[in-house]
Amino acid sequence: MSRATREAYRDTLLSLLERHPELMCLDSDTGLFNAEHAAAAGDQYLNIGIAEHNLMGMAAGMAACGRIPFVNTMAAFATSRALEAIKIDIAYNRLPVRIMATHGGLAAGHLGPTHQALEDLAVMRALPGMTVVVPADAAATEAFVEQSVHLAGPLYVRLGRKPTPALPAAPAPVIGQAQTLRQGGDVVLASCGPYPVLACLAAADVLAAQGIEATVLNLHTLRPFDTETLVAAARPASLVVTLEEHWRSGGLGGAVAEALAEAAPTRVLRLGMPDQFVNEVGNQEHLVTHYDLTAERVVKTVRTALDTAAGPGRGEREDRSAAGVPVLT
């Protein structure tokens, strides 16, 4: 069943507002909440229009007075136009503001690069105390919104725009705990968000048919990062491949590489958007395919890396390893 993560958030929040009078919904004219939704929320809903910086300032003031604001805006505007307010008013003061950012990644591909958020995860996970979450389907979104009511400090949640398929049965999603969707000892495929996670699961099926067993991790929380689960999966593997709907700088691939470099040096190959602004117009599915954020690319990357590692230079690497020289395989 397909359902939009942003709609799952909206419906879950409307239910929570009825049970938690301290919650507030602050909107920026996103269209996600219509007149009927606003009427149901009563004085717990405010639409202040397209004024993202003011939106974050208002949320900070409410949070400082004991409320828990859920702020609705597009990811591109939250992490660029309103960044100063998020940094100084919210993160610096460790206030419980929930920044619910829709149209993450390439979801606004039809509107061009001004509305695409390909830097948001890098920006948000750099802020001290900011929890950063990327749900991969509607069910995870519902769980994270419920859990966020009792979460300390600020939260950034990256949501999509259109319906995306539900993940196969998996462990219950918990903020801060990676999900192991498949076990395998040869390689690790790590991703976050609907399309990358589904692509890694599909790639694991193809690789298994070729005799390569992959562990598939849904690293939905980029901060705080579940290094323990990642390291446990990476230690027996010869390769970790990350896939994300984000520029390769500073996002999931960066988080994985940083964690493994410190805790369990492993070869990491990062797949994501090329280091350029998007020059193609189209819907999200078209752009994901156009920029090859696909299962086929993951399979090709794994096979090329493993075939190269087993090539003519292998004896030299084994000699160096036997001599006590650190070697990444």
Side-chain angles (χ1 to χ4, degrees), residues 78-98:
T79 56
S80 55
R81 186 174 298 172
L83 179 58
E84 182 184 18
I86 294 173
K87 173 185 173 182
I88 301 301
D89 298 340
I90 296 172
Y92 178 75
N93 293 296
R94 301 181 181 180
L95 294 172
V97 175
R98 286 43 177 131

Side-chain angles (χ1 to χ4, degrees), residues 221-251:
T221 304
L222 274 72
R223 184 170 187 154
F225 196 65
D226 187 356
T227 300
E228 182 178 355
T229 297
L230 173 64
V231 167
R235 283 196 188 281
S238 60
L239 175 69
V240 175
V241 176
T242 65
L243 179 66
E244 59 191 310
E245 197 176 324
H246 188 277
W247 280 316
R248 292 172 68 249
S249 301

Side-chain angles (χ1 to χ4, degrees), residues 108-232:
H110 58 298
L111 297 175
T114 57
H115 286 61
Q116 292 156 13
L118 298 173
E119 74 294 332
D120 59 322
L121 301 180
V123 170
M124 287 293 110
R125 79 178 188 92
L127 296 178
M130 180 69 69
T131 297
V132 180
V133 174
V134 188
D137 64 5
T141 303
E142 293 172 350
F144 295 150
V145 173
E146 291 269 3
Q147 293 165 26
S148 73
V149 174
H150 306 290
L151 185 73
L155 168 69
Y156 178 81
V157 181
R158 187 201 232 202
L159 302 170
R161 172 177 171 263
K162 295 174 61 178
T164 52
L167 292 186
V174 178
I175 292 175
Q177 298 178 17
Q179 287 178 294
T180 302
L181 304 180
R182 181 174 180 144
Q183 293 275 11
D186 296 324
V187 299
V188 176
L189 308 180
S191 55
C192 64
Y195 290 103
V197 171
L198 290 170
C200 284
L201 285 168
D205 288 338
V206 175
L207 291 169
Q210 300 174 2
I212 301 169
E213 294 299 330
T215 292
V216 178
L217 297 180
N218 177 12
L219 299 178
H220 51 68
T221 304
L222 274 72
R223 184 170 187 154
F225 196 65
D226 187 356
T227 300
E228 182 178 355
T229 297
L230 173 64
V231 167

